[in-house]
């Protein structure tokens, strides 16, 4: 399984907010065990979707502070299931962005119904510590279509 939990960025204001999408398909391996007869997206993956969306929002900023990485999950709440083939609409709004730590208020909706919420904190890893071949293809694709440069 690739750990890319964002298919597409729909809207992005760098360092402020993001709206993105992810659809997990019924034939994905995770649904064999979670749960047979009643497949649902695991809460930990919903949380990862929100964290990755937040990271893309912060990484799109022109600041040189590094790659945003999940640091802490606060007040995660799950209000309903996300099923295979449903498109999760992921929202993150940055509520605080300091030099070393940022915080976002995040949630996921499916069909207009809010399925989960969380406050997520990120820290920053210097880009030179990432692999030389590291690329964020989803963010690059969005920025290319917007006429912006990749981070």
């Amino acid at each position: 399984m690739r750990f890319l939990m964002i298919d597409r960025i729909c809207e992005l204001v760098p360092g402020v907010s993001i709206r993105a999408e992810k659809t997990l398909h019924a034939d994905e391996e995770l649904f064999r065990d979670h749960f047979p007869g009643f497949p649902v997206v695991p809460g930990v993956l919903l949380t990862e979707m929100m964290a990755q969306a937040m990271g893309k929002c912060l990484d799109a900023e022109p600041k040189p502070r590094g790659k945003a990485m999940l640091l802490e999950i606060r007040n995660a709440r799950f209000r309903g299931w996300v099923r295979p083939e449903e498109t999760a609409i992921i929202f993150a709004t940055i509520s605080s962005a300091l030099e070393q730590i940022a915080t976002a208020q995040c949630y996921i909706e499916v069909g207009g119904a809010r399925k989960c919420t969380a406050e997520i904190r990120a820290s920053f890893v210097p880009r030179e510590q990432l692999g030389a071949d590291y690329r964020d293809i989803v963010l690059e694709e969005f920025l290319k279509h917007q006429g912006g440069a990749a981070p």
Side-chain angles (χ1 to χ4, degrees), residues 28-97:
E28 298 200 39
E29 185 177 344
L30 71 103
F31 292 120
R32 280 193 248 152
D33 296 319
H34 204 271
F35 293 98
F38 190 76
V40 296
V41 178
V44 68
L45 293 184
L46 296 173
T47 305
E48 181 65 21
M49 289 177 198
M50 293 184 287
Q52 286 188 19
M54 174 199 190
K56 289 175 188 336
C57 184
L58 292 165
D59 292 346
E61 288 185 292
K63 295 182 179 181
R65 60 184 168 197
K67 167 81 181 103
M69 304 287 279
L70 177 61
L71 176 66
E72 183 177 15
I73 302 162
R74 293 181 172 179
N75 302 317
R77 301 281 189 264
F78 302 94
R79 296 181 170 92
W81 295 286
V82 178
R83 305 292 303 264
E85 309 303 332
E86 292 182 328
T87 298
I89 310 298
I90 308 141
F91 298 86
T93 301
I94 308 304
S95 55
S96 171

Side-chain angles (χ1 to χ4, degrees), residues 67-141:
K67 167 81 181 103
M69 304 287 279
L70 177 61
L71 176 66
E72 183 177 15
I73 302 162
R74 293 181 172 179
N75 302 317
R77 301 281 189 264
F78 302 94
R79 296 181 170 92
W81 295 286
V82 178
R83 305 292 303 264
E85 309 303 332
E86 292 182 328
T87 298
I89 310 298
I90 308 141
F91 298 86
T93 301
I94 308 304
S95 55
S96 171
L98 305 173
E99 195 59 35
Q100 298 296 318
I101 295 176
T103 304
Q105 304 306 314
C106 305
Y107 63 95
I108 292 178
E109 289 183 350
V110 174
R114 196 165 289 193
K115 299 295 182 170
C116 61
T117 60
E119 180 179 272
I120 297 182
R121 297 181 81 198
S123 62
F124 300 92
V125 174
R127 292 200 181 271
E128 58 272 9
Q129 290 185 13
L130 300 174
D133 61 345
Y134 173 77
R135 294 179 55 211
D136 186 331
I137 57 174
V138 174
L139 182 55
E140 287 176 16
E141 185 69 22

